[in-house]
Amino acid sequence: MLEIEGLNCYYGKIEAVRNLSLKVEKGQLVTLIGANGAGKSTTLKSISGILPASSGRILFEGEDITKASARTILDLGIAHCPEGRRVFPYMSVQENLDMGCFRRSDPKQIESDLEGIFDRFPILKERRLQMAGTLSGGEQQMLAIGRALMSRPKFVLFDEPSLGLAPNLVKTTFDIISEIRDQDVTVLLVEQNAYAALALCDHAYLLESGEVTLQGTGEELKGNDYVREAYLGG
Amino acid sequence: MAEFLQHILNAIVLGGTYALLGIGLTLIFGIMKVVNFTHGELYSFGAYMIFMFSAMLGLNFFLAIILSMVLGVLLGGIIEFALLRPLRGANIDTTMLVMIGAWIVMQNLEQLSWGGVAKSINHPFPLDPLVIGEVSVSWIRVFVFFFAVILIIGSYYLINNTKLGKSMRATFQDRDIAALMGVNINRVYTATFALGSGLAATAGALLGPVFVVTPTMGDMAALKAFAIVILGGLGSIAGATIGGFILALAEEMGAGYISSGYRDAMGFILIILVLIFRPTGLFALKERYG
Amino acid sequence: MSRWISILWLAFLFSIPLWMIDLYVLHILINTGIFVIAAMSLNLLLGYTGQLSLGHVAFFGIGAYVSALVSLGFDLELTDTYTFVFDAKPVWIAFLSGIIAAGLFGWLIGRVAFKVRGAYFVIVTISFAEVVRLVSLNWIDLTEGPMALNNIQPFTLGIPNLWEMTLYQKIPNYYLVLVVAIVCYILIRRLVHSRIGRAMIGLRENEPLATSVGVNVTHYLVIATVISAAMAGAAGGLYTHYFRIIDPDIFLFIYTVTMVIMVVSGGKGTLAGPIVGGIIFGLLPEILREFAAPEMQWIIYGIAMILIVFFLPDGIVPALKNWWKNHRSKRTDSAEMDAGT
Amino acid sequence: NETIKIGVSQPLTGAVAASGNYVTQGAQIAESFINDAGGVLGKKIELVIEDNKSNPKEAVATAEKLIIRDKVSVMMGAWSSTYTLAVMPKLMEYGVPMVVETSSSGKITTSGNPWIFRISPTSQMEAKSFGTKVDQFKIKKADFIVVNNDWGRGASEAFQEVLKAKGISVGTVETMDAKATDLSAQLAKIKSSGGDTLFVTSGVEQITLVLKQMKEQRLNHQVITTGGSSSPDQLISQAGAAAEGSNHLLFFAPWFPESAPNPSVATKFVNEWNKRGHNFAGLTEGFRGHDGIMTIAAGIKAAGKNDSKAIQQALWDVKVKGVNGNIEFIKQGPAGKESAQNVPNVYVVTIKDGKIALP
Amino acid sequence: MKTVKSDMSEVLLNVENIAISFGGLVAISDLSFNVYKGEIVSLIGPNGAGKTTAFNIITGFLKPNSGSITYRDKSLTGLAAHQVAKYGVVRTFQKTSVFDGNTVIENIMMGLHLNGRCKVWEVLLGLPRVSIENTRLEERALEILDLVGLSNRASDMASDLAYGELRLLEVAIALAAEPALLLLDEPASGMNPSETASFMKTVSKIRDEGTTILLVEHDMRMVMGISDRVVVLNQGEIIASGTPKEIQNNPKVIHAYLGYGDEDA
Ligand SMILES: Nc1ncnc2c1ncn2[C@@H]1O[C@H](COP(=O)(O)OP(=O)(O)OP(=O)(O)O)[C@@H](O)[C@H]1O
Ligand SMILES: Nc1ncnc2c1ncn2[C@@H]1O[C@H](COP(=O)(O)OP(=O)(O)OP(=O)(O)O)[C@@H](O)[C@H]1O
Ligand SMILES: [Mg+2]
Ligand SMILES: [Mg+2]
């Protein structure tokens, strides 16, 4: 479904991703692990079109989206739940969720999707009218997840979705992810909570200094000594 | 008493146009975070356009107003496209400097093309004023007031209740994320700037016939617009509206009962006081720490 | 190395009057120098604390007016029967009074800044400048209002009763401005390279974080505004005693804008920025004056600003620094390669 | 084939640019008149025109440039009293005479600057001259609205004095910022004062606004504008019916050049002005540039050489037939350091049936 | 309240009955707890429980509606944030927060603000002690970078750091202010388990050098692995406190916070 070939990304002169290639099959849950600064978020950003790749190719369902705008990419069905929450601080919870379905025009469906998200994160329903910027960190994270799902994507990029969530909600979040996978939504997941991510995924890539250094099934990576040592805390 | 009522009436009528200037700027300065020094120039541009259409080309007065509005929107769009788009992501001081440059260029182009002599525009309204009891107000001002009020309500609705309004706010709070939501960022930037500019040009087109048109007429107007935006709280349409009326009232009363020399000072003193007691303007948005 | 460059620079600046026979050029340099001082003072606020003062000209003007009034003397009818008479004082006392008065107003604005930041601070300063302008325009008993204060004494240097020199001529005025500018530069440099300067920069970058490590925001904003205002006041004093006229137009917004242009185009938050920007935008109008019609002068000025921003968005000095750094690293690279072969 | 340079400092941009440009156009007409007639001392004259940007500091800068860079030995300028006052110390410093063509402040000629030669009237002179005509206006109580600068305030003081001397009472005195457009507050106040006549001193733009807004607020005062630059034509075209019946003190009435003291000079000037396609409304200002340059040329001729000191001496004795009338100087100011002042003519015109008429 | 380690008898921080609400929303209804000298206490609880708000109140960023905060017998209630820092109570922020436009070492130098003594006039006069102090602060800054393991990035711009490094830098900045009590707000979020493990060692080191630590964190491995004591907050109230073991098995905590079957812990 998604295929990246030889991707290179720069921030000014800093090279953040180097010659990266990866593949995500339809319906799969693929995870990307790696140390801080390895280039995971950068990869996601260039897939969703907010950071232009400097070279390489990104194909989505056979279509080249390397140079496409974020809007086009969204319209193809890719949603990105970005790192660090990034909610619209001066908009209410409700308005933030509305932004999530900015490109949709099926009010009935939207209403039921909204209910679905409120079921998962009841606090959001309670805080519907609160300015998102005044939410607590975890509440903002829930909002960011909800907002990404509001576009009804067929492919979701999750960047550390469990960040700042309480353990019970971390669980909820992983439940959501495996559930949407079951609904045939493809997921590319970046997680620091590598145990959970590796346990859940179909395929995993290890990223180091902007390059893929290892890949395999979740079990394989979990079993790898190096990975255990460096990323799973021994 | 008559004098007092006259002052109040004057203030209300003036406040309408102040509010128009204020909301135009609150879109650009309050929401887009561009310190827009060309706001005053769009105001005088609107005034010159109605002069051109109505006084020089002899078009229908109301048609001339509409044309000036449209051209104001267009000019705003062009400025955004040519000057701000290449600087997307630059910090606020950088864009401010460009806008200062544009301001200087525009004002002197105006001076070059129209000359320094003030222009006056005739309007189709009767010269004899509308008399209400002891007070009076000219018909053109009544027209300007209602026109302004309609535009204010329209803008309010646009920002708060339409998809475009929502995408504007989203874009200027977090550009990348708005793009992720499918907002066409470039279009929103241009539209916001064009809309704000259009409102300024409209204010100019409305006030041109009331006052006279000169190349430097925009300077004070811009300064007041900034004051109004701050008074109301950044980015708040309601705030800018109320700020506009409050400023007009303060000026009118100050000039009437304290000293006309300090007329413009009234507004500024008011602003300092407001900000001392309510540091984020009258209608501020909340923030949190941590 | 950099010490040698500064010494060369100083030697050059001090030598100008020795070989520059065109007095008009000196006049322009004096005028530019005064504005460079004002721009440096603005840079302390805008560049280092991140607070944009769009009313900076108020401090400049207060310094100028106070200095003029103290040197001229004035009387104020306070009540019908009591008139406050202030005798004329020597110019250097007047100059110091101007600095102190501007500093005091800086303190006042700094206190307000305790409450407001960012755009709100901008508008407080604009409002402050407008109010001061209107006061100077309307308090005719004191300031002569729009009629301007005229025949202000030129600067006088000297030891009382022993030796005195009145600076009517260009050359001594040039040196005076140069010395004041150097003093201001040194003071600012010391300040920003100290923990006090770091506190200011911290405020600019992240106020809650700075507070959380113990930076007293009000305190440092007040310090910055007082010093900045006092320096602007000094520039104002120099202006008054050089041009020898002062009127409410000194508070015009365009002067603040000029200072901002100088600071931002040169590179805010850099020591050399306001000097470079000040020299460019101080000299540009004079250069243009020779070639273009009045409106065209302004138009070219505006376009020059836009172009600078487009091509050097961080300002000229940071751009030069970057260029120099790349240039050097390229050179050392190739040197290493040479050594390798 | 060297030229004799004459420095001109005028506001060509900024707040009062329109007036400065008219004066400059008048000066350029005089320049070509003189040069067509063979110049002075066998050389052509050349105006070096500098823009003082409607700003006193810039006025000083223009003086510096004209004197040190262009080495002119005589100047004309600098329109507003504030700019002129700013330039004056420079005249002392470098010893260069200046013909002052517009400024009205009394201070200019009383401060003891012997390099000043003013051809425009002070507000006192204007007021005094108005005093001889005041009876025809049948004033009982007068109000004032003046621009808040030396000119407006000076005029209001001078006219109040003359009126009070005639036993006429003075009601409200209001000022307005030079850039103010909304004068409704001041007018509302004036309305409640109960006067019958309103004296207005400001630029023509603001007078237009005063007239229009008076109408809006139903103010029925008789209007008299002072200061001489009010260009009634522009008022008629811009204020329309609101201008009807207003009276204007002028120093030149270009509609009736034949009734000027020097009809041939005035007619020639007006014809040339029109031929050049300049704005007719600008004539009430433009003539000053003409008269100023004519005076300077006469001074140079009388001096016999292009030398500041000599020109200063010679100017005292020149007699010039100007557009406004005959120009010759009397002494004003502290003894030994007197400035020179001309006593100009003052006219009154009225707008009647949308036309300019002599009352 | 029950003390866990009897040798920690000196109360460093005493929070008593604080409450705060925003508009109609009660964020903290009634919160009291102690922090003893030398311990690491974790404050945990569901999202929106009021942990960050409690930090804001303790460190002077917010004024509580009621209640008091005492630090070593001195009342902190109502003090401004910079004054609280002066007493040695320093916090980090949940949302990454560094001096973006500066290098890493400059960031630490700014954190060292309270360590410097020079007055404005001394600086303006350029007294020698100013430059001596500068050198001293620079050395100290390098030491701190060493401690958190960021020395290799000393001259990089803070804005170029990756998320995890930023989190370390934040802690380093706070350390520069020489806290006696350090409040860390989710410092390990965004770190992977290995990084968290090494970060835990850093935190222990900091504690061993005499700094008491109050920690807010959702990573249970860290909380359980490092804390001497855990306080659990829910909806603005304390629902439990005790040793990590006790807390882990407390049904109320499991219900409100941990969720059933926390497989990895
Ligand atoms: N906005 C930016 N500007 C400059 N450099 C950046 C920026 N964002 C990231 N980098 C650099 O790019 C590299 C890769 O960063 P990226 O954010 O992709 O890492 P990551 O794998 O997501 O790490 P983390 O787990 O900390 O989120 C890092 O070295 C970082 O310093
Ligand atoms: N300034 C504010 N305005 C309105 N509500 C606020 C404000 N600050 C906090 N809140 C609310 O108070 C509650 C407590 O917030 P706080 O940030 O303390 O939670 P927290 O325990 O730190 O949660 P998390 O673990 O998600 O960071 C939240 O529900 C939040 O929405
Ligand atoms: Mg990342
Ligand atoms: Mg929190």
Side-chain angles (χ1 to χ4, degrees):
Chain A
M1 191 172 205
L2 181 85
E3 213 177 325
I4 301 181
E5 292 165 12
L7 181 72
N8 287 291
C9 292
Y10 287 85
Y11 293 100
K13 291 202 183 76
I14 302 167
E15 187 176 45
V17 169
R18 196 178 315 154
N19 196 19
L20 176 136
S21 300
L22 62 77
K23 230 183 188 155
V24 183
E25 299 295 343
K26 189 163 171 57
Q28 268 192 339
L29 194 162
V30 173
T31 181
L32 217 51
I33 60 172
N36 286 130
K40 305 179 296 293
S41 304
T42 309
T43 307
L44 298 199
K45 284 189 215 165
S46 64
I47 296 173
S48 67
I50 49 178
L51 182 80
S54 51
S55 65
R57 251 157 47 106
I58 305 172
L59 298 175
F60 182 70
E61 296 185 315
E63 200 172 322
D64 188 337
I65 56 165
T66 323
K67 297 243 147 34
S69 71
R71 181 183 168 99
T72 318
I73 293 170
L74 175 84
D75 288 348
L76 289 174
I78 300 182
H80 181 176
C81 174
E83 173 181 55
R85 318 188 234 284
R86 306 278 291 266
V87 295
F88 299 113
Y90 297 117
M91 294 172 94
S92 66
V93 170
Q94 178 70 54
E95 284 176 323
N96 266 276
L97 292 169
D98 290 350
M99 285 310 295
C101 46
F102 188 74
R103 299 289 287 162
R104 287 174 65 185
S105 49
D106 43 350
K108 284 233 177 66
Q109 289 296 328
I110 289 176
E111 200 49 46
S112 78
D113 288 357
L114 196 61
E115 281 313 315
I117 284 161
F118 285 154
D119 281 348
R120 293 288 182 184
F121 303 119
I123 189 99
L124 292 184
K125 187 168 190 173
E126 250 172 65
R127 301 297 168 79
R128 250 177 129 129
L129 300 179
Q130 188 173 338
M131 286 285 159
T134 65
L135 293 175
S136 84
E139 290 163 347
Q140 290 186 9
Q141 185 65 47
M142 297 175 223
L143 181 55
I145 296 171
R147 189 181 58 187
L149 297 179
M150 282 305 286
S151 68
R152 278 230 160 183
K154 35 184 177 183
F155 190 108
V156 194
L157 309 163
F158 278 113
D159 201 342
E160 305 192 21
S162 70
L163 189 94
L165 290 181
N168 54 352
L169 285 168
V170 172
K171 194 170 168 305
T172 310
T173 304
F174 282 110
D175 288 349
I176 294 179
I177 292 174
S178 54
E179 215 169 277
I180 59 173
R181 192 245 318 251
D182 294 343
Q183 291 161 7
D184 228 19
V185 175
T186 314
V187 177
L188 181 55
L189 173 67
V190 169
E191 249 309 327
Q192 295 294 5
N193 195 339
Y195 287 110
L198 291 178
L200 209 62
C201 72
D202 301 306
H203 197 84
Y205 291 86
L206 173 65
L207 218 60
E208 287 182 309
S209 314
E211 291 175 289
V212 175
T213 52
L214 199 67
Q215 56 171 300
T217 62
E219 288 309 314
E220 280 168 14
L221 262 71
K222 240 179 168 175
N224 182 300
D225 286 343
Y226 172 67
V227 173
R228 292 178 79 85
E229 174 64 30
Y231 300 99
L232 301 177
Chain B
M1 190 62 193
E3 189 189 337
F4 179 74
L5 289 177
Q6 184 70 50
H7 284 312
I8 296 275
L9 185 64
N10 291 345
I12 292 175
V13 172
L14 183 66
T17 41
Y18 276 5
L20 207 54
L21 268 175
I23 52 178
L25 192 66
T26 213
L27 287 177
I28 298 173
F29 176 50
I31 298 185
M32 278 181 91
K33 299 285 180 294
V34 172
V35 186
N36 181 17
F37 278 90
T38 65
H39 202 65
E41 288 325 299
L42 274 136
Y43 172 77
S44 56
F45 173 80
Y48 274 112
M49 284 304 104
I50 191 170
F51 170 74
M52 184 173 89
F53 290 123
S54 163
M56 285 172 67
L57 303 178
L59 297 187
N60 174 287
F61 181 74
F62 303 99
L63 178 65
I65 291 184
I66 303 291
L67 283 176
S68 311
M69 283 172 74
V70 172
L71 285 182
V73 169
L74 265 177
L75 179 60
I78 291 170
I79 293 175
E80 201 285 325
F81 186 82
L83 296 182
L84 292 175
R85 185 165 296 191
L87 293 176
R88 192 78 87 241
N91 69 23
I92 183 164
D93 298 324
T94 310
T95 52
M96 176 178 76
L97 211 58
V98 167
M99 297 321 275
I100 292 177
W103 164 46
I104 292 173
V105 171
M106 286 168 76
Q107 186 166 100
N108 285 281
L109 279 178
E110 243 154 38
Q111 171 114 26
L112 263 186
S113 38
W114 301 103
V117 183
K119 312 282 184 209
S120 170
I121 302 158
N122 290 323
H123 53 76
F125 294 95
L127 205 59
D128 287 317
L130 165 68
V131 180
I132 314 160
E134 291 178 88
V135 297
S136 59
V137 55
S138 66
W139 284 101
I140 174 99
R141 288 199 193 214
V142 174
F143 163 73
V144 167
F145 177 74
F146 283 106
F147 201 107
V149 167
I150 290 170
L151 284 177
I152 292 166
I153 295 171
S155 313
Y156 188 84
Y157 180 81
L158 179 84
I159 297 300
N160 286 298
N161 300 337
T162 66
K163 225 168 163 168
L164 178 64
K166 238 178 247 169
S167 60
M168 281 178 181
R169 286 184 289 145
T171 301
F172 302 116
Q173 286 170 34
D174 195 327
R175 186 174 62 237
D176 286 346
I177 305 304
L180 278 185
M181 301 295 121
V183 174
N184 186 335
I185 300 301
N186 283 331
R187 203 184 291 165
V188 167
Y189 266 86
T190 310
T192 312
F193 199 89
L195 186 65
S197 302
L199 288 173
T202 311
L206 289 174
L207 286 186
V210 178
F211 300 131
V212 288
V213 186
T214 65
T216 51
M217 67 188 281
D219 293 354
M220 204 37 156
L223 213 53
K224 286 190 178 158
F226 274 106
I228 290 163
V229 170
I230 299 287
L231 204 57
L234 287 185
S236 161
I237 302 269
T241 310
I242 294 174
F245 282 102
I246 292 179
L247 185 69
L249 197 66
E251 283 185 7
E252 186 73 28
M253 290 299 162
Y257 295 105
I258 301 176
S259 153
S260 47
Y262 287 101
R263 172 179 185 124
D264 290 325
M266 292 308 143
F268 294 112
I269 290 171
L270 182 78
I271 285 161
I272 294 177
L273 291 180
V274 165
L275 291 183
I276 286 175
F277 294 106
R278 234 190 120 82
T280 45
L282 295 172
F283 290 78
L285 295 165
K286 275 198 219 109
E287 289 191 52
R288 68 165 279 179
Y289 290 110
Chain C
M1 165 72 173
S2 74
R3 165 156 299 198
W4 277 108
I5 293 181
S6 358
I7 289 175
L8 276 178
W9 255 109
L10 281 182
F12 170 71
L13 289 173
F14 273 98
S15 76
I16 288 179
L18 304 180
W19 47 268
M20 175 51 70
I21 29 176
D22 190 340
L23 288 179
Y24 182 60
V25 172
L26 277 189
H27 163 75
I28 293 170
L29 290 179
I30 293 168
N31 182 25
T32 305
I34 292 172
F35 273 87
V36 165
I37 296 172
M40 286 197 298
S41 75
L42 177 65
N43 186 38
L44 184 60
L45 264 187
L46 170 59
Y48 290 98
T49 67
Q51 298 293 310
L52 174 57
S53 158
L54 275 188
H56 209 61
V57 81
F59 304 125
F60 183 82
I62 287 171
Y65 260 104
V66 170
S67 192
L69 283 171
V70 171
S71 73
L72 289 173
F74 57 89
D75 43 56
L76 274 181
E77 240 174 75
L78 292 181
T79 60
D80 288 344
T81 50
Y82 176 68
T83 306
F84 174 74
V85 181
F86 187 91
D87 292 325
K89 298 276 182 305
V91 175
W92 66 271
I93 293 184
F95 182 64
L96 288 182
S97 322
I99 295 176
I100 293 168
L104 282 176
F105 275 96
W107 179 82
L108 206 77
I109 289 296
R111 297 299 303 183
V112 176
F114 160 61
K115 299 221 163 189
V116 296
R117 295 294 143 66
Y120 298 100
F121 182 80
V122 172
I123 216 73
V124 165
T125 52
I126 291 183
S127 306
F128 171 65
E130 272 299 300
V131 171
V132 175
R133 181 179 78 85
L134 290 163
V135 168
S136 76
L137 196 63
N138 288 290
W139 194 358
I140 297 193
D141 290 344
L142 183 68
T143 64
E144 299 278 307
M147 281 75 87
L149 288 170
N150 290 295
N151 289 327
I152 299 164
Q153 266 121 50
F155 227 95
T156 311
L157 290 181
I159 309 152
N161 305 329
L162 275 179
W163 168 78
E164 238 177 29
M165 178 168 89
T166 304
L167 308 190
Y168 282 108
Q169 253 69 49
K170 299 270 174 300
I171 294 178
N173 269 302
Y174 173 84
Y175 282 121
L176 178 70
V177 171
L178 183 59
V179 167
V180 175
I182 291 172
V183 169
C184 289
Y185 178 85
I186 292 175
L187 292 182
I188 292 178
R189 195 181 62 182
R190 283 181 180 161
L191 205 62
V192 301
H193 285 156
S194 72
R195 73 185 262 275
I196 291 159
R198 282 192 294 272
M200 291 173 185
I201 296 171
L203 280 180
R204 174 189 75 192
E205 293 292 326
N206 190 334
E207 191 178 317
L209 180 57
T211 322
S212 81
V213 292
V215 176
N216 181 346
V217 179
T218 327
H219 183 68
Y220 287 99
L221 272 181
V222 170
I223 288 180
T225 20
V226 167
I227 294 176
S228 168
M231 282 180 185
L238 291 174
Y239 175 98
T240 298
H241 297 289
Y242 177 67
F243 284 96
R244 303 181 53 201
I245 177 165
I246 174 96
D247 80 311
D249 270 3
I250 191 65
F251 294 107
L252 281 183
F253 191 51
I254 189 75
Y255 286 120
T256 303
V257 169
T258 311
M259 294 177 207
V260 173
I261 293 170
M262 290 171 171
V263 172
V264 182
S265 68
K268 65 173 173 138
T270 61
L271 284 167
I275 302 177
V276 173
I279 290 174
I280 293 177
F281 283 94
L283 298 185
L284 191 61
E286 298 303 331
I287 297 167
L288 292 176
R289 196 191 271 281
E290 312 266 322
F291 300 109
E295 289 93 352
M296 281 314 291
Q297 291 174 21
W298 279 113
I299 291 174
I300 296 171
Y301 188 89
I303 292 177
M305 275 177 61
I306 295 176
L307 291 181
I308 287 187
V309 176
F310 267 55
F311 294 106
L312 312 169
D314 293 326
I316 297 165
V317 170
L320 284 179
K321 268 191 192 153
N322 261 336
W323 175 81
W324 180 242
K325 220 163 71 185
N326 289 341
H327 183 76
R328 273 241 300 251
S329 70
K330 249 184 228 143
R331 268 215 324 231
T332 48
D333 281 357
S334 57
E336 272 162 21
M337 263 162 38
D338 288 351
T341 50
Chain D
N1 49 16
E2 214 183 275
T3 55
I4 294 178
K5 288 180 176 173
I6 299 172
V8 176
S9 171
Q10 287 292 320
L12 303 178
T13 54
V16 290
S19 300
N21 279 296
Y22 290 146
V23 171
T24 307
Q25 288 167 348
Q28 284 163 330
I29 289 179
E31 179 189 26
S32 54
F33 282 172
I34 291 164
N35 287 339
D36 290 348
V40 286
L41 309 178
K43 293 176 185 164
K44 296 220 181 281
I45 61 164
E46 180 192 345
L47 301 187
V48 186
I49 298 161
E50 286 298 337
D51 175 18
N52 64 35
K53 303 182 183 168
S54 307
N55 177 310
K57 169 181 164 278
E58 292 294 333
V60 174
T62 58
E64 292 270 4
K65 171 169 184 290
L66 289 169
I67 298 171
I68 7 190
R69 179 53 75 79
D70 300 310
K71 309 229 161 13
V72 303
S73 30
V74 53
M75 290 177 57
M76 180 179 87
W79 204 78
S80 144
S81 302
T82 315
Y83 318 154
T84 303
L85 286 164
V87 167
M88 281 166 55
K90 295 291 153 190
L91 304 177
M92 295 269 257
E93 189 177 328
Y94 297 109
V96 173
M98 179 162 94
V99 169
V100 177
E101 85 296 336
T102 306
S103 316
S104 64
S105 165
K107 259 203 254 174
I108 291 173
T109 40
T110 55
S111 69
N113 187 327
W115 300 96
I116 286 293
F117 293 82
R118 170 152 63 179
I119 60 170
S120 56
T122 61
S123 298
Q124 284 90 341
M125 288 175 153
E126 190 189 356
K128 212 165 106 192
S129 148
F130 174 74
T132 63
K133 307 174 177 156
V134 70
D135 295 334
Q136 73 192 71
F137 293 102
K138 305 194 173 46
I139 307 170
K140 289 208 184 60
K141 183 174 177 189
D143 299 310
F144 285 81
I145 184 162
V146 299
V147 61
N148 189 12
N149 59 27
D150 58 326
W151 175 40
R153 287 182 179 270
S156 111
E157 274 166 30
F159 279 82
Q160 283 182 48
E161 206 169 296
V162 167
L163 292 175
K164 280 177 189 154
K166 295 265 174 193
I168 298 167
S169 67
V170 172
T172 310
V173 180
E174 287 292 308
T175 60
M176 51 197 171
D177 191 83
K179 283 198 182 137
T181 48
D182 195 340
L183 311 167
S184 44
Q186 287 95 324
L187 293 174
K189 220 164 142 185
I190 288 168
K191 189 175 180 193
S192 58
S193 110
D196 53 23
T197 302
L198 179 62
F199 282 84
V200 188
T201 309
S202 184
V204 60
E205 286 96 29
Q206 239 172 5
I207 297 177
T208 311
L209 292 169
V210 170
L211 293 174
K212 280 192 187 174
Q213 293 176 23
M214 280 175 72
K215 191 92 184 165
E216 290 172 8
Q217 301 215 0
R218 295 176 303 155
L219 229 73
N220 301 319
H221 286 56
Q222 144 177 262
V223 170
I224 300 176
T225 75
T226 83
S229 38
S230 34
S231 178
D233 277 318
Q234 197 170 327
L235 290 177
I236 293 173
S237 73
Q238 306 210 327
E244 191 61 28
S246 56
N247 306 288
H248 309 279
L249 295 186
L250 299 177
F251 309 133
F252 175 45
W255 310 270
F256 320 106
E258 58 290 343
S259 60
N262 301 311
S264 64
V265 176
T267 315
K268 185 178 171 202
F269 176 69
V270 172
N271 288 344
E272 178 67 17
W273 182 276
N274 290 334
K275 206 174 96 197
R276 292 191 176 201
H278 295 331
N279 189 349
F280 185 82
L283 269 169
T284 50
E285 302 243 27
F287 83 92
R288 299 199 198 105
H290 170 272
D291 284 7
I293 295 300
M294 284 301 184
T295 308
I296 288 175
I300 298 172
K301 202 184 276 175
K305 54 182 174 182
N306 184 20
D307 171 79
S308 298
K309 189 78 198 155
I311 297 172
Q312 182 210 19
Q313 294 301 325
L315 274 171
W316 280 107
D317 302 317
V318 298
K319 291 194 169 40
V320 180
K321 287 192 179 311
V323 173
N324 168 271
N326 294 326
I327 296 167
E328 53 190 314
F329 293 106
I330 57 168
K331 291 190 169 183
Q332 273 194 347
K337 303 186 281 183
E338 292 98 340
S339 306
Q341 172 71 51
N342 168 41
V343 184
N345 295 305
V346 176
Y347 308 86
V348 184
V349 299
T350 302
I351 297 178
K352 208 179 269 165
D353 305 327
K355 290 212 173 48
I356 286 112
L358 291 169
Chain E
M1 191 184 296
K2 182 178 67 174
T3 37
V4 179
K5 288 198 176 175
S6 49
D7 56 310
M8 293 176 179
S9 49
E10 188 188 340
V11 177
L12 203 60
L13 181 78
N14 167 248
V15 174
E16 223 166 280
N17 303 110
I18 58 173
I20 190 169
S21 53
F22 302 101
L25 179 88
V26 180
I28 295 182
S29 50
D30 179 17
L31 175 64
S32 309
F33 65 91
N34 284 342
V35 178
Y36 298 90
K37 186 156 188 266
E39 66 174 345
I40 296 181
V41 183
S42 288
L43 183 62
I44 64 171
N47 297 117
K51 305 178 293 296
T52 302
T53 306
F55 270 27
N56 282 340
I57 292 174
I58 295 168
T59 52
F61 281 87
L62 281 175
K63 306 248 168 305
N65 297 349
S66 62
S68 69
I69 299 138
T70 322
Y71 172 76
R72 278 191 170 136
D73 308 330
K74 279 167 280 208
S75 168
L76 296 187
T77 330
L79 289 189
H82 67 92
Q83 292 167 316
V84 174
K86 233 174 227 168
Y87 281 119
V89 178
V90 181
R91 58 92 61 90
T92 64
F93 295 83
Q94 177 172 8
K95 189 168 176 232
T96 24
S97 188
V98 296
F99 301 110
D100 280 324
N102 300 82
T103 61
V104 169
I105 181 101
E106 282 167 354
N107 266 271
I108 311 292
M109 295 284 281
M110 291 179 195
L112 283 166
H113 180 75
L114 289 175
N115 202 310
R117 289 279 166 276
C118 289
K119 300 275 178 304
V120 180
W121 61 269
E122 292 170 329
V123 167
L124 290 180
L125 291 179
L127 298 187
R129 53 178 295 194
V130 177
S131 60
I132 295 172
E133 182 179 284
N134 257 346
T135 324
R136 178 170 66 79
L137 293 184
E138 218 164 306
E139 278 160 11
R140 176 78 189 122
L142 287 170
E143 273 171 39
I144 293 171
L145 282 181
D146 231 26
L147 180 68
V148 297
L150 276 178
S151 327
N152 58 328
R153 305 219 60 163
S155 54
D156 291 331
M157 293 300 273
S159 52
D160 292 348
L161 296 188
Y163 197 77
E165 289 169 321
L166 280 178
R167 308 249 56 164
L168 286 178
L169 179 57
E170 292 184 277
V171 174
I173 294 172
L175 279 180
E178 302 193 335
L181 174 61
L182 178 62
L183 293 83
L184 299 172
D185 198 351
E186 300 194 27
S189 77
M191 293 186 184
N192 69 33
S194 296
E195 286 162 338
T196 308
S198 87
F199 180 68
M200 280 161 67
K201 291 200 189 98
T202 310
V203 174
S204 305
K205 219 169 16 173
I206 294 169
R207 190 260 301 265
D208 295 343
E209 288 186 4
T211 306
T212 308
I213 290 168
L214 179 57
L215 175 73
V216 165
E217 184 52 66
H218 289 303
D219 184 330
M220 282 308 109
R221 286 150 95 41
M222 175 155 183
V223 170
M224 300 308 169
I226 203 173
S227 320
D228 299 312
R229 216 153 47 83
V230 180
V231 176
V232 187
L233 196 62
N234 187 26
Q235 300 189 338
E237 283 173 337
I238 291 185
I239 53 168
S241 74
T243 62
K245 265 248 147 50
E246 293 165 357
I247 293 301
Q248 240 164 334
N249 299 320
N250 183 322
K252 269 208 264 180
V253 179
I254 293 175
H255 176 76
Y257 181 60
L258 296 172
Y260 298 104
D262 187 27
E263 59 255 75
D264 297 318

